[in-house]
Amino acid sequence: MNQHSSREELSAILTEADQIVRETRRIIRAALRKGFEHRLKADRSFVTDVDLAVEDKTRRMLRQRFPEHGILGEERGGDRPGSDYQWIIDPIDGTHSLRHRVPLFGTLLALLHRDEPVLGVIDLPALDKTYSGARGLGTKCNGRVMRVADLGPGQPLEEEIISVGERPQFTHAGKARVFDHLMKLHPSVRTYCDCFGHALAIEGAVGAMVDFDLRIWDTSATAVLVAEAGGKYVSMVRTGTSLEDCRYDVVFGKPRVVDWVLALIKRLGNREELP
Amino acid sequence: MNQHSSREELSAILTEADQIVRETRRIIRAALRKGFEHRLKADRSFVTDVDLAVEDKTRRMLRQRFPEHGILGEERGGDRPGSDYQWIIDPIDGTHSLRHRVPLFGTLLALLHRDEPVLGVIDLPALDKTYSGARGLGTKCNGRVMRVADLGPGQPLEEEIISVGERPQFTHAGKARVFDHLMKLHPSVRTYCDCFGHALAIEGAVGAMVDFDLRIWDTSATAVLVAEAGGKYVSMVRTGTSLEDCRYDVVFGKPRVVDWVLALIKRLGNREELP
């Protein structure tokens, strides 16, 4: 596919992706009004009826529109895994929040081309915000263009908020020290976990997000949206070999803040003494 | 004042308080559209033009409606401090969030009668939510009655989210160990700081909020709203003697979760070894 056709094609696909998310948002809002069931999965995380209904609806709409594309979803697995184009679905990112009605959960939809993320949508139904973008097309939130401005020379890093996932994510990744030291070394570190923290980084509202032990469906939309907004996105594959298996440790946001976090991670990895 | 007149009187005052907050919300929303300035205060925290404009407007409206009541505001200090009734204003709780456009800040307004909180309003303009209530009148959010249900016997405490303030609040209170142990011992501890975390506890969305080193304007509205929603509210005065000086360490939410947190704080205070 050449650069020109790709751009027009991506723009048309993005319009469809935005429509799909607008549809699934209705499922989520109805469930918030009527109530829903939850249960434990084998991996000890929760799933709700909402997760399943959103993923099923998304898969149906994708199959209708893009019959030749593959699909990988958090809840229902893979479909046509050999295709050049792969849709990646996280129907509810932040199921624990949804279950407790903390309004900071969302739906993530991304398109990979030969394993590279080229299009992403993060929808936060309870906040009425949709972030969407694609390679070469920029990132918008509800139509507003997103620009992650780096810190200028006079802007102190200490005044930035840094958001992180929950501590158990860092423990699973063998990196509890990263979480603990961030908390001790920076004055404003907040566990704005899941896609809400990602959205804040795309807005430039937080200086960086540090999110460990993620899966492909947690990271793909954000990778595109941050890069297209002008931010820095660094992903470290910790384990796994296939799309479905890999665990990712990611840091993204304003370049100077991302670099500060990466330097801290490196010093901790080298077992250097820190304050 | 007898119980009967107090109830009717409080209901009328609550209507006025709701109106005042609706007015100041317009200042905040306009500022979010147009932009605003911020600067450092002597205590190294930030203040914005929005904080000052909201407090000034609130004070003007309170003086018109309740000329005999006292007023204590975070930014402009006290007025008629000897009055039986004292209004307590935090024009922007979460100034750091507002400054960075994290949409989790709010306005707090409370009424004390002889130093006891009897009425409270928490307004979250960016989330379009207003929590308001008064002694004997219950707590509502946008008209919905709030009920904090305690955990039932079969509901595991580990599945609850616990929200906390930022770590430096605990450090200032000499209680960094409480923050660090909560993070280590409970699977889902999140720094939903400021009034957003308070609102989540009032909703029962988090099991408890643990918020240290607070001032009277951070705590008064919440004290009423949590108690009237059926939750448990425990406030420990750490230092200070006057309303303006005191520092409060507070824990509130579902009774069983609050008790678990209080037991942890006690064990840490006794320097017991914990896992």
Side-chain angles (χ1 to χ4, degrees):
Chain A
M1 100 183 155
N2 67 40
Q3 200 53 39
H4 182 69
S5 72
S6 145
R7 200 182 146 89
E8 280 178 0
E9 197 182 357
L10 271 179
S11 175
I13 298 174
L14 188 57
T15 304
E16 304 271 4
D18 282 335
Q19 276 171 7
I20 290 170
V21 167
R22 253 197 309 279
E23 286 293 318
T24 55
R25 200 186 245 220
R26 292 161 58 177
I27 298 173
I28 297 168
R29 289 192 164 169
L32 286 170
R33 283 193 304 275
K34 292 179 204 160
F36 50 87
E37 299 295 320
H38 68 270
R39 57 197 161 281
L40 266 179
K41 291 195 285 190
D43 68 357
R44 308 285 307 159
S45 69
F46 283 94
V47 65
T48 73
D49 294 344
V50 188
D51 299 64
L52 300 173
V54 168
E55 181 160 331
D56 289 344
K57 174 92 178 172
T58 306
R59 294 179 91 104
R60 272 198 306 278
M61 294 181 78
L62 287 172
R63 265 193 227 103
Q64 267 173 4
R65 285 164 170 77
F66 310 105
E68 73 288 4
H69 290 182
I71 300 179
L72 174 61
E74 178 177 10
E75 307 302 339
R76 304 290 198 194
D79 205 7
R80 301 178 62 95
S83 311
D84 265 9
Y85 282 101
Q86 290 284 335
W87 287 93
I88 310 288
I89 310 169
D90 190 345
I92 300 292
D93 182 55
T95 300
H96 202 56
S97 290
L98 172 69
R99 182 194 155 191
H100 288 287
R101 291 167 184 266
V102 172
L104 309 180
F105 53 83
T107 299
L108 310 184
L109 186 57
L111 180 64
L112 310 189
H113 179 249
R114 297 182 184 162
D115 291 357
E116 282 296 309
V118 292
L119 178 152
V121 180
I122 295 180
D123 188 53
L124 303 173
L127 302 187
D128 195 23
K129 288 197 171 173
T130 310
Y131 300 81
S132 65
R135 192 170 281 184
L137 299 173
T139 296
K140 290 183 180 175
C141 171
N142 295 3
R144 264 185 311 129
V145 173
M146 299 282 101
R147 289 300 314 160
V148 175
D150 198 8
L151 291 185
Q155 284 180 288
L157 200 135
E158 307 84 72
E159 292 183 9
E160 295 294 302
I161 299 168
I162 293 178
S163 64
V164 291
E166 292 187 301
R167 192 174 186 275
Q169 295 174 234
F170 290 78
T171 310
H172 294 159
K175 295 282 173 59
R177 296 181 74 213
V178 170
F179 182 93
D180 294 341
H181 275 85
L182 274 172
M183 284 287 177
K184 280 176 195 159
L185 294 175
H186 190 78
S188 188
V189 179
R190 301 181 182 172
T191 45
Y192 291 147
C193 47
D194 309 317
C195 55
F196 176 67
H198 295 214
L200 291 180
I202 292 162
E203 297 255 11
V206 299
M209 169 97 191
V210 188
D211 213 3
F212 275 29
D213 202 42
L214 302 185
R215 306 293 294 270
I216 187 76
W217 39 80
D218 300 313
T219 61
S220 301
T222 304
V224 178
L225 296 172
V226 168
E228 284 296 318
K232 182 166 181 172
Y233 185 92
V234 177
S235 175
M236 300 161 276
V237 180
R238 206 179 58 256
T239 63
T241 46
S242 74
L243 276 187
E244 283 179 76
D245 291 340
C246 281
R247 298 297 192 280
Y248 304 87
D249 299 340
V250 298
V251 184
F252 51 89
K254 300 179 186 178
R256 260 187 63 202
V257 185
V258 169
D259 290 342
W260 181 83
V261 172
L262 292 174
L264 175 67
I265 293 170
K266 194 173 165 199
R267 289 164 68 197
L268 288 167
N270 295 341
R271 314 299 283 180
E272 289 177 35
E273 275 307 312
L274 289 168
Chain B
M1 98 184 157
N2 65 41
Q3 201 52 42
H4 182 68
S5 70
S6 145
R7 201 181 146 87
E8 280 179 3
E9 196 182 356
L10 270 179
S11 176
I13 298 174
L14 188 57
T15 304
E16 304 271 4
D18 281 335
Q19 276 171 7
I20 289 170
V21 166
R22 254 198 306 281
E23 286 293 317
T24 55
R25 201 186 246 221
R26 291 161 59 178
I27 296 173
I28 296 167
R29 289 192 166 168
L32 286 170
R33 282 193 305 273
K34 290 180 207 160
F36 50 86
E37 299 294 320
H38 68 271
R39 57 197 160 281
L40 265 180
K41 291 196 285 190
D43 68 356
R44 308 286 306 158
S45 70
F46 282 94
V47 64
T48 72
D49 294 344
V50 189
D51 300 64
L52 300 173
V54 168
E55 181 161 330
D56 290 344
K57 174 94 179 171
T58 305
R59 295 179 90 104
R60 271 199 306 278
M61 294 182 78
L62 287 172
R63 265 193 227 106
Q64 267 173 5
R65 287 162 167 78
F66 310 104
E68 72 288 4
H69 290 182
I71 300 177
L72 174 61
E74 178 177 11
E75 306 302 338
R76 305 290 198 193
D79 205 5
R80 301 178 62 93
S83 312
D84 265 9
Y85 283 101
Q86 290 283 337
W87 288 93
I88 310 287
I89 311 167
D90 190 345
I92 300 292
D93 183 55
T95 301
H96 202 56
S97 289
L98 173 68
R99 182 194 155 190
H100 287 287
R101 291 168 185 264
V102 173
L104 309 180
F105 53 84
T107 298
L108 310 183
L109 186 58
L111 180 64
L112 310 189
H113 179 249
R114 298 183 185 162
D115 291 356
E116 283 296 310
V118 293
L119 178 153
V121 181
I122 295 179
D123 188 54
L124 302 173
L127 302 186
D128 195 22
K129 288 197 169 172
T130 310
Y131 300 80
S132 64
R135 192 172 279 184
L137 299 173
T139 296
K140 290 182 179 173
C141 172
N142 295 4
R144 264 185 311 128
V145 174
M146 298 283 101
R147 289 301 312 160
V148 175
D150 198 9
L151 290 186
Q155 284 181 288
L157 200 135
E158 308 83 73
E159 291 183 10
E160 295 293 303
I161 299 168
I162 293 178
S163 66
V164 291
E166 292 186 302
R167 192 175 185 276
Q169 297 173 234
F170 290 78
T171 310
H172 293 159
K175 295 281 174 58
R177 296 182 72 209
V178 170
F179 182 93
D180 294 340
H181 275 85
L182 274 172
M183 283 286 176
K184 279 175 195 159
L185 293 175
H186 190 77
S188 187
V189 179
R190 300 180 183 174
T191 44
Y192 291 147
C193 48
D194 310 318
C195 55
F196 176 68
H198 295 214
L200 291 180
I202 293 162
E203 298 254 11
V206 300
M209 169 96 191
V210 188
D211 213 3
F212 276 27
D213 202 42
L214 302 185
R215 307 293 294 268
I216 188 74
W217 40 81
D218 299 313
T219 63
S220 301
T222 305
V224 178
L225 296 172
V226 169
E228 285 295 318
K232 181 166 181 172
Y233 184 91
V234 177
S235 174
M236 300 161 276
V237 180
R238 207 178 59 255
T239 63
T241 48
S242 73
L243 277 188
E244 282 179 77
D245 290 340
C246 280
R247 297 297 193 282
Y248 304 87
D249 299 340
V250 299
V251 185
F252 50 89
K254 301 178 184 177
R256 260 187 65 202
V257 186
V258 170
D259 291 341
W260 181 83
V261 172
L262 292 174
L264 174 67
I265 293 171
K266 195 174 164 196
R267 289 164 68 198
L268 288 168
N270 295 341
R271 315 299 282 181
E272 289 176 36
E273 274 308 311
L274 290 167

